[in-house]
mmCIF file of all heavy atoms in Angstrom:
data_model
loop_
_atom_site.group_PDB
_atom_site.id
_atom_site.type_symbol
_atom_site.label_atom_id
_atom_site.label_comp_id
_atom_site.label_asym_id
_atom_site.label_seq_id
_atom_site.Cartn_x
_atom_site.Cartn_y
_atom_site.Cartn_z
ATOM 1 N N MET A 1 9.695 -64.711 -34.607
ATOM 2 C CA MET A 1 10.937 -64.275 -34.045
ATOM 3 C C MET A 1 10.683 -63.240 -32.949
ATOM 4 O O MET A 1 9.666 -62.535 -32.988
ATOM 5 C CB MET A 1 11.844 -63.661 -35.122
ATOM 6 C CG MET A 1 12.392 -64.692 -36.094
ATOM 7 S SD MET A 1 13.366 -63.918 -37.371
ATOM 8 C CE MET A 1 12.072 -63.147 -38.341
ATOM 9 N N LYS A 2 11.586 -63.190 -32.012
ATOM 10 C CA LYS A 2 11.488 -62.226 -30.877
ATOM 11 C C LYS A 2 12.797 -61.507 -30.697
ATOM 12 O O LYS A 2 13.862 -62.035 -30.981
ATOM 13 C CB LYS A 2 11.146 -62.980 -29.600
ATOM 14 C CG LYS A 2 9.899 -63.823 -29.627
ATOM 15 C CD LYS A 2 8.659 -62.991 -29.685
ATOM 16 C CE LYS A 2 7.446 -63.928 -29.597
ATOM 17 N NZ LYS A 2 6.231 -63.289 -30.032
ATOM 18 N N LYS A 3 12.662 -60.248 -30.216
ATOM 19 C CA LYS A 3 13.816 -59.482 -29.832
ATOM 20 C C LYS A 3 13.869 -59.409 -28.314
ATOM 21 O O LYS A 3 12.893 -59.045 -27.657
ATOM 22 C CB LYS A 3 13.758 -58.057 -30.393
ATOM 23 C CG LYS A 3 14.911 -57.200 -30.005
ATOM 24 C CD LYS A 3 14.732 -55.803 -30.604
ATOM 25 C CE LYS A 3 15.871 -54.904 -30.225
ATOM 26 N NZ LYS A 3 15.659 -53.543 -30.733
ATOM 27 N N ILE A 4 14.959 -59.826 -27.742
ATOM 28 C CA ILE A 4 15.164 -59.774 -26.305
ATOM 29 C C ILE A 4 16.057 -58.601 -25.989
ATOM 30 O O ILE A 4 17.139 -58.455 -26.541
ATOM 31 C CB ILE A 4 15.840 -61.069 -25.781
ATOM 32 C CG1 ILE A 4 14.962 -62.301 -26.097
ATOM 33 C CG2 ILE A 4 16.091 -60.967 -24.280
ATOM 34 C CD1 ILE A 4 15.674 -63.607 -25.846
ATOM 35 N N GLU A 5 15.570 -57.723 -25.114
ATOM 36 C CA GLU A 5 16.357 -56.594 -24.622
ATOM 37 C C GLU A 5 16.596 -56.804 -23.140
ATOM 38 O O GLU A 5 15.610 -56.883 -22.364
ATOM 39 C CB GLU A 5 15.623 -55.264 -24.824
ATOM 40 C CG GLU A 5 15.468 -54.891 -26.283
ATOM 41 C CD GLU A 5 14.826 -53.513 -26.467
ATOM 42 O OE1 GLU A 5 14.443 -52.872 -25.459
ATOM 43 O OE2 GLU A 5 14.704 -53.085 -27.618
ATOM 44 N N ALA A 6 17.821 -56.957 -22.731
ATOM 45 C CA ALA A 6 18.159 -57.165 -21.338
ATOM 46 C C ALA A 6 18.999 -56.006 -20.830
ATOM 47 O O ALA A 6 20.041 -55.661 -21.422
ATOM 48 C CB ALA A 6 18.935 -58.466 -21.161
ATOM 49 N N VAL A 7 18.550 -55.357 -19.775
ATOM 50 C CA VAL A 7 19.289 -54.278 -19.139
ATOM 51 C C VAL A 7 19.924 -54.859 -17.913
ATOM 52 O O VAL A 7 19.238 -55.313 -16.989
ATOM 53 C CB VAL A 7 18.368 -53.099 -18.795
ATOM 54 C CG1 VAL A 7 19.177 -51.971 -18.164
ATOM 55 C CG2 VAL A 7 17.666 -52.567 -20.033
ATOM 56 N N ILE A 8 21.262 -54.899 -17.904
ATOM 57 C CA ILE A 8 22.007 -55.585 -16.836
ATOM 58 C C ILE A 8 23.117 -54.719 -16.294
ATOM 59 O O ILE A 8 23.416 -53.663 -16.796
ATOM 60 C CB ILE A 8 22.619 -56.874 -17.417
ATOM 61 C CG1 ILE A 8 23.608 -56.561 -18.552
ATOM 62 C CG2 ILE A 8 21.534 -57.848 -17.901
ATOM 63 C CD1 ILE A 8 24.436 -57.753 -19.006
ATOM 64 N N LYS A 9 23.719 -55.233 -15.206
ATOM 65 C CA LYS A 9 24.891 -54.542 -14.642
ATOM 66 C C LYS A 9 26.081 -54.718 -15.560
ATOM 67 O O LYS A 9 26.285 -55.796 -16.166
ATOM 68 C CB LYS A 9 25.202 -55.120 -13.253
ATOM 69 C CG LYS A 9 24.161 -54.807 -12.243
ATOM 70 C CD LYS A 9 24.508 -55.304 -10.848
ATOM 71 C CE LYS A 9 23.484 -54.890 -9.850
ATOM 72 N NZ LYS A 9 23.837 -55.275 -8.488
ATOM 73 N N PRO A 10 26.899 -53.660 -15.745
ATOM 74 C CA PRO A 10 28.009 -53.751 -16.723
ATOM 75 C C PRO A 10 29.005 -54.874 -16.494
ATOM 76 O O PRO A 10 29.463 -55.456 -17.458
ATOM 77 C CB PRO A 10 28.678 -52.367 -16.576
ATOM 78 C CG PRO A 10 27.637 -51.463 -16.016
ATOM 79 C CD PRO A 10 26.769 -52.333 -15.150
ATOM 80 N N PHE A 11 29.302 -55.188 -15.225
ATOM 81 C CA PHE A 11 30.329 -56.221 -15.008
ATOM 82 C C PHE A 11 29.798 -57.618 -15.307
ATOM 83 O O PHE A 11 30.567 -58.595 -15.305
ATOM 84 C CB PHE A 11 30.866 -56.117 -13.565
ATOM 85 C CG PHE A 11 29.856 -56.463 -12.472
ATOM 86 C CD1 PHE A 11 29.710 -57.746 -12.058
ATOM 87 C CD2 PHE A 11 29.089 -55.462 -11.926
ATOM 88 C CE1 PHE A 11 28.765 -58.079 -11.060
ATOM 89 C CE2 PHE A 11 28.201 -55.753 -10.909
ATOM 90 C CZ PHE A 11 28.034 -57.039 -10.495
ATOM 91 N N LYS A 12 28.500 -57.779 -15.615
ATOM 92 C CA LYS A 12 27.949 -59.075 -15.973
ATOM 93 C C LYS A 12 27.905 -59.318 -17.491
ATOM 94 O O LYS A 12 27.490 -60.356 -17.946
ATOM 95 C CB LYS A 12 26.531 -59.207 -15.425
ATOM 96 C CG LYS A 12 26.518 -59.406 -13.907
ATOM 97 C CD LYS A 12 27.137 -60.714 -13.556
ATOM 98 C CE LYS A 12 26.755 -61.233 -12.230
ATOM 99 N NZ LYS A 12 27.241 -62.626 -12.056
ATOM 100 N N LEU A 13 28.369 -58.335 -18.257
ATOM 101 C CA LEU A 13 28.286 -58.464 -19.731
ATOM 102 C C LEU A 13 28.990 -59.652 -20.284
ATOM 103 O O LEU A 13 28.429 -60.351 -21.103
ATOM 104 C CB LEU A 13 28.819 -57.147 -20.382
ATOM 105 C CG LEU A 13 28.812 -57.161 -21.904
ATOM 106 C CD1 LEU A 13 27.422 -57.374 -22.475
ATOM 107 C CD2 LEU A 13 29.437 -55.883 -22.417
ATOM 108 N N ASP A 14 30.216 -59.924 -19.885
ATOM 109 C CA ASP A 14 30.963 -61.044 -20.464
ATOM 110 C C ASP A 14 30.279 -62.370 -20.144
ATOM 111 O O ASP A 14 30.191 -63.240 -21.008
ATOM 112 C CB ASP A 14 32.418 -61.071 -19.931
ATOM 113 C CG ASP A 14 33.231 -59.995 -20.565
ATOM 114 O OD1 ASP A 14 32.931 -59.582 -21.683
ATOM 115 O OD2 ASP A 14 34.229 -59.573 -19.942
ATOM 116 N N GLU A 15 29.742 -62.517 -18.935
ATOM 117 C CA GLU A 15 29.037 -63.756 -18.600
ATOM 118 C C GLU A 15 27.783 -63.939 -19.444
ATOM 119 O O GLU A 15 27.470 -65.053 -19.897
ATOM 120 C CB GLU A 15 28.662 -63.760 -17.103
ATOM 121 C CG GLU A 15 29.874 -63.867 -16.189
ATOM 122 C CD GLU A 15 29.462 -63.742 -14.735
ATOM 123 O OE1 GLU A 15 28.532 -64.482 -14.307
ATOM 124 O OE2 GLU A 15 30.086 -62.934 -14.021
ATOM 125 N N VAL A 16 27.041 -62.851 -19.646
ATOM 126 C CA VAL A 16 25.808 -62.924 -20.454
ATOM 127 C C VAL A 16 26.170 -63.253 -21.898
ATOM 128 O O VAL A 16 25.544 -64.075 -22.545
ATOM 129 C CB VAL A 16 25.033 -61.625 -20.344
ATOM 130 C CG1 VAL A 16 23.921 -61.566 -21.374
ATOM 131 C CG2 VAL A 16 24.481 -61.434 -18.942
ATOM 132 N N ARG A 17 27.201 -62.599 -22.428
ATOM 133 C CA ARG A 17 27.619 -62.868 -23.833
ATOM 134 C C ARG A 17 28.011 -64.316 -24.009
ATOM 135 O O ARG A 17 27.601 -64.976 -24.956
ATOM 136 C CB ARG A 17 28.794 -61.949 -24.211
ATOM 137 C CG ARG A 17 29.266 -62.192 -25.687
ATOM 138 C CD ARG A 17 30.528 -61.419 -26.005
ATOM 139 N NE ARG A 17 31.599 -61.628 -25.043
ATOM 140 C CZ ARG A 17 32.397 -62.684 -25.023
ATOM 141 N NH1 ARG A 17 32.247 -63.670 -25.923
ATOM 142 N NH2 ARG A 17 33.369 -62.825 -24.127
ATOM 143 N N GLU A 18 28.773 -64.850 -23.083
ATOM 144 C CA GLU A 18 29.195 -66.266 -23.172
ATOM 145 C C GLU A 18 27.997 -67.194 -23.102
ATOM 146 O O GLU A 18 27.927 -68.185 -23.835
ATOM 147 C CB GLU A 18 30.192 -66.573 -22.062
ATOM 148 C CG GLU A 18 31.572 -65.910 -22.271
ATOM 149 C CD GLU A 18 32.460 -66.043 -21.053
ATOM 150 O OE1 GLU A 18 32.103 -66.717 -20.097
ATOM 151 O OE2 GLU A 18 33.536 -65.410 -21.086
ATOM 152 N N ALA A 19 27.052 -66.908 -22.220
ATOM 153 C CA ALA A 19 25.878 -67.753 -22.044
ATOM 154 C C ALA A 19 25.019 -67.744 -23.316
ATOM 155 O O ALA A 19 24.516 -68.797 -23.710
ATOM 156 C CB ALA A 19 25.073 -67.299 -20.830
ATOM 157 N N VAL A 20 24.856 -66.592 -23.920
ATOM 158 C CA VAL A 20 23.991 -66.465 -25.101
ATOM 159 C C VAL A 20 24.671 -67.131 -26.313
ATOM 160 O O VAL A 20 24.043 -67.843 -27.064
ATOM 161 C CB VAL A 20 23.676 -64.970 -25.376
ATOM 162 C CG1 VAL A 20 23.032 -64.793 -26.738
ATOM 163 C CG2 VAL A 20 22.765 -64.445 -24.289
ATOM 164 N N THR A 21 25.963 -66.910 -26.492
ATOM 165 C CA THR A 21 26.660 -67.515 -27.649
ATOM 166 C C THR A 21 26.790 -69.043 -27.497
ATOM 167 O O THR A 21 26.785 -69.754 -28.470
ATOM 168 C CB THR A 21 28.024 -66.906 -27.875
ATOM 169 O OG1 THR A 21 28.807 -66.968 -26.686
ATOM 170 C CG2 THR A 21 27.916 -65.425 -28.300
ATOM 171 N N ALA A 22 26.836 -69.512 -26.249
ATOM 172 C CA ALA A 22 26.888 -70.944 -26.028
ATOM 173 C C ALA A 22 25.621 -71.682 -26.518
ATOM 174 O O ALA A 22 25.627 -72.852 -26.831
ATOM 175 C CB ALA A 22 27.126 -71.275 -24.555
ATOM 176 N N LEU A 23 24.501 -70.902 -26.558
ATOM 177 C CA LEU A 23 23.249 -71.509 -27.027
ATOM 178 C C LEU A 23 23.119 -71.447 -28.552
ATOM 179 O O LEU A 23 22.155 -71.933 -29.113
ATOM 180 C CB LEU A 23 22.055 -70.731 -26.417
ATOM 181 C CG LEU A 23 21.883 -70.932 -24.928
ATOM 182 C CD1 LEU A 23 20.738 -70.052 -24.389
ATOM 183 C CD2 LEU A 23 21.538 -72.392 -24.637
ATOM 184 N N GLY A 24 24.079 -70.795 -29.221
ATOM 185 C CA GLY A 24 24.036 -70.776 -30.679
ATOM 186 C C GLY A 24 23.575 -69.463 -31.264
ATOM 187 O O GLY A 24 23.385 -69.376 -32.496
ATOM 188 N N CYS A 25 23.395 -68.440 -30.473
ATOM 189 C CA CYS A 25 23.034 -67.119 -31.022
ATOM 190 C C CYS A 25 24.265 -66.559 -31.764
ATOM 191 O O CYS A 25 25.350 -66.539 -31.235
ATOM 192 C CB CYS A 25 22.616 -66.162 -29.901
ATOM 193 S SG CYS A 25 21.070 -66.639 -29.135
ATOM 194 N N SER A 26 24.036 -66.107 -32.994
ATOM 195 C CA SER A 26 25.145 -65.716 -33.819
ATOM 196 C C SER A 26 25.577 -64.262 -33.623
ATOM 197 O O SER A 26 26.652 -63.868 -34.103
ATOM 198 C CB SER A 26 24.791 -65.927 -35.277
ATOM 199 O OG SER A 26 23.629 -65.188 -35.607
ATOM 200 N N GLY A 27 24.784 -63.457 -32.938
ATOM 201 C CA GLY A 27 25.161 -62.088 -32.745
ATOM 202 C C GLY A 27 24.314 -61.392 -31.714
ATOM 203 O O GLY A 27 23.240 -61.863 -31.390
ATOM 204 N N LEU A 28 24.837 -60.291 -31.203
ATOM 205 C CA LEU A 28 24.085 -59.466 -30.276
ATOM 206 C C LEU A 28 24.585 -58.037 -30.343
ATOM 207 O O LEU A 28 25.652 -57.792 -30.871
ATOM 208 C CB LEU A 28 24.134 -59.995 -28.837
ATOM 209 C CG LEU A 28 25.486 -60.233 -28.175
ATOM 210 C CD1 LEU A 28 26.029 -59.017 -27.510
ATOM 211 C CD2 LEU A 28 25.340 -61.334 -27.110
ATOM 212 N N THR A 29 23.790 -57.114 -29.836
ATOM 213 C CA THR A 29 24.118 -55.725 -29.843
ATOM 214 C C THR A 29 24.191 -55.246 -28.377
ATOM 215 O O THR A 29 23.359 -55.571 -27.571
ATOM 216 C CB THR A 29 23.066 -54.885 -30.586
ATOM 217 O OG1 THR A 29 22.987 -55.365 -31.925
ATOM 218 C CG2 THR A 29 23.450 -53.416 -30.637
ATOM 219 N N VAL A 30 25.243 -54.455 -28.065
ATOM 220 C CA VAL A 30 25.428 -53.963 -26.702
ATOM 221 C C VAL A 30 25.477 -52.444 -26.737
ATOM 222 O O VAL A 30 26.175 -51.859 -27.571
ATOM 223 C CB VAL A 30 26.735 -54.520 -26.109
ATOM 224 C CG1 VAL A 30 26.991 -53.954 -24.731
ATOM 225 C CG2 VAL A 30 26.690 -56.041 -26.045
ATOM 226 N N THR A 31 24.753 -51.819 -25.817
ATOM 227 C CA THR A 31 24.705 -50.402 -25.715
ATOM 228 C C THR A 31 24.925 -50.015 -24.237
ATOM 229 O O THR A 31 24.318 -50.589 -23.371
ATOM 230 C CB THR A 31 23.345 -49.804 -26.178
ATOM 231 O OG1 THR A 31 23.027 -50.350 -27.450
ATOM 232 C CG2 THR A 31 23.387 -48.301 -26.245
ATOM 233 N N GLU A 32 25.791 -49.012 -23.984
ATOM 234 C CA GLU A 32 25.932 -48.510 -22.629
ATOM 235 C C GLU A 32 24.785 -47.518 -22.389
ATOM 236 O O GLU A 32 24.586 -46.598 -23.191
ATOM 237 C CB GLU A 32 27.294 -47.804 -22.465
ATOM 238 C CG GLU A 32 28.442 -48.776 -22.527
ATOM 239 C CD GLU A 32 29.786 -48.083 -22.344
ATOM 240 O OE1 GLU A 32 29.822 -46.910 -21.922
ATOM 241 O OE2 GLU A 32 30.815 -48.724 -22.583
ATOM 242 N N VAL A 33 24.057 -47.740 -21.307
ATOM 243 C CA VAL A 33 22.922 -46.906 -20.995
ATOM 244 C C VAL A 33 22.979 -46.465 -19.519
ATOM 245 O O VAL A 33 23.803 -46.961 -18.754
ATOM 246 C CB VAL A 33 21.584 -47.618 -21.264
ATOM 247 C CG1 VAL A 33 21.414 -47.899 -22.749
ATOM 248 C CG2 VAL A 33 21.483 -48.888 -20.489
ATOM 249 N N LYS A 34 22.156 -45.552 -19.151
ATOM 250 C CA LYS A 34 22.016 -45.139 -17.740
ATOM 251 C C LYS A 34 20.523 -45.145 -17.407
ATOM 252 O O LYS A 34 19.676 -44.855 -18.246
ATOM 253 C CB LYS A 34 22.555 -43.729 -17.525
ATOM 254 C CG LYS A 34 24.055 -43.632 -17.687
ATOM 255 C CD LYS A 34 24.531 -42.237 -17.364
ATOM 256 C CE LYS A 34 26.020 -42.172 -17.520
ATOM 257 N NZ LYS A 34 26.564 -40.884 -17.107
ATOM 258 N N GLY A 35 20.234 -45.450 -16.147
ATOM 259 C CA GLY A 35 18.827 -45.456 -15.741
ATOM 260 C C GLY A 35 18.668 -45.837 -14.284
ATOM 261 O O GLY A 35 19.670 -45.975 -13.559
ATOM 262 N N PHE A 36 17.445 -45.951 -13.880
ATOM 263 C CA PHE A 36 17.148 -46.416 -12.519
ATOM 264 C C PHE A 36 15.785 -47.095 -12.475
ATOM 265 O O PHE A 36 14.953 -46.857 -13.330
ATOM 266 C CB PHE A 36 17.201 -45.261 -11.511
ATOM 267 C CG PHE A 36 16.042 -44.294 -11.670
ATOM 268 C CD1 PHE A 36 14.869 -44.477 -10.936
ATOM 269 C CD2 PHE A 36 16.156 -43.221 -12.484
ATOM 270 C CE1 PHE A 36 13.817 -43.594 -11.059
ATOM 271 C CE2 PHE A 36 15.100 -42.290 -12.615
ATOM 272 C CZ PHE A 36 13.937 -42.523 -11.900
ATOM 273 N N GLY A 37 15.618 -47.919 -11.507
ATOM 274 C CA GLY A 37 14.360 -48.601 -11.275
ATOM 275 C C GLY A 37 14.072 -48.475 -9.785
ATOM 276 O O GLY A 37 14.084 -47.390 -9.215
ATOM 277 N N ARG A 38 13.848 -49.615 -9.123
ATOM 278 C CA ARG A 38 13.629 -49.598 -7.694
ATOM 279 C C ARG A 38 14.835 -49.142 -6.940
ATOM 280 O O ARG A 38 14.753 -48.674 -5.822
ATOM 281 C CB ARG A 38 13.233 -50.999 -7.224
ATOM 282 C CG ARG A 38 11.860 -51.407 -7.656
ATOM 283 C CD ARG A 38 11.503 -52.714 -7.045
ATOM 284 N NE ARG A 38 10.188 -53.125 -7.515
ATOM 285 C CZ ARG A 38 9.731 -54.335 -7.394
ATOM 286 N NH1 ARG A 38 10.447 -55.241 -6.787
ATOM 287 N NH2 ARG A 38 8.546 -54.645 -7.830
ATOM 288 N N GLN A 39 15.981 -49.271 -7.551
ATOM 289 C CA GLN A 39 17.247 -48.932 -6.899
ATOM 290 C C GLN A 39 17.294 -47.410 -6.619
ATOM 291 O O GLN A 39 17.922 -46.967 -5.646
ATOM 292 C CB GLN A 39 18.409 -49.322 -7.805
ATOM 293 C CG GLN A 39 19.718 -49.562 -7.088
ATOM 294 C CD GLN A 39 20.721 -50.153 -8.040
ATOM 295 O OE1 GLN A 39 20.512 -50.339 -9.214
ATOM 296 N NE2 GLN A 39 21.875 -50.465 -7.509
ATOM 297 N N LYS A 40 16.664 -46.585 -7.441
ATOM 298 C CA LYS A 40 16.528 -45.146 -7.257
ATOM 299 C C LYS A 40 17.837 -44.388 -7.120
ATOM 300 O O LYS A 40 17.914 -43.368 -6.463
ATOM 301 C CB LYS A 40 15.658 -44.856 -6.013
ATOM 302 C CG LYS A 40 14.278 -45.440 -6.091
ATOM 303 C CD LYS A 40 13.335 -44.537 -6.824
ATOM 304 C CE LYS A 40 11.906 -44.925 -6.638
ATOM 305 N NZ LYS A 40 11.428 -45.991 -7.448
ATOM 306 N N GLY A 41 18.911 -44.922 -7.681
ATOM 307 C CA GLY A 41 20.194 -44.208 -7.595
ATOM 308 C C GLY A 41 20.763 -44.328 -6.179
ATOM 309 O O GLY A 41 20.319 -45.124 -5.375
ATOM 310 N N HIS A 42 21.794 -43.565 -5.883
ATOM 311 C CA HIS A 42 22.409 -43.577 -4.569
ATOM 312 C C HIS A 42 23.216 -42.312 -4.366
ATOM 313 O O HIS A 42 23.408 -41.530 -5.300
ATOM 314 C CB HIS A 42 23.284 -44.817 -4.402
ATOM 315 C CG HIS A 42 24.431 -44.884 -5.364
ATOM 316 N ND1 HIS A 42 24.308 -45.317 -6.675
ATOM 317 C CD2 HIS A 42 25.708 -44.523 -5.241
ATOM 318 C CE1 HIS A 42 25.470 -45.237 -7.301
ATOM 319 N NE2 HIS A 42 26.350 -44.767 -6.459
ATOM 320 N N THR A 43 23.695 -42.124 -3.132
ATOM 321 C CA THR A 43 24.553 -40.965 -2.862
ATOM 322 C C THR A 43 25.997 -41.460 -2.746
ATOM 323 O O THR A 43 26.252 -42.542 -2.289
ATOM 324 C CB THR A 43 24.121 -40.282 -1.522
ATOM 325 O OG1 THR A 43 24.224 -41.222 -0.475
ATOM 326 C CG2 THR A 43 22.733 -39.758 -1.634
#
């Protein structure tokens, strides 16, 4: 078994949830987080 952790844009959550449940996944956990990568924040 594997645990998939995906860090995504908040407005994409519903699309991701629908895509994952359509494959037969019975549950998932969602957490609101903050961070940065190459984007490095903005002004």
Side-chain angles (χ1 to χ4, degrees):
M1 288 177 288
K2 304 289 185 197
K3 178 181 181 183
I4 300 171
E5 293 183 358
V7 180
I8 61 170
K9 292 183 176 184
F11 67 89
K12 287 295 200 171
L13 177 59
D14 286 335
E15 291 175 51
V16 169
R17 181 187 51 81
E18 290 170 6
V20 169
T21 54
L23 290 175
C25 292
S26 59
L28 54 87
T29 302
V30 177
T31 310
E32 291 182 12
V33 295
K34 292 183 179 187
F36 70 91
R38 289 186 183 166
Q39 206 172 2
K40 301 276 194 277
H42 62 279
T43 59

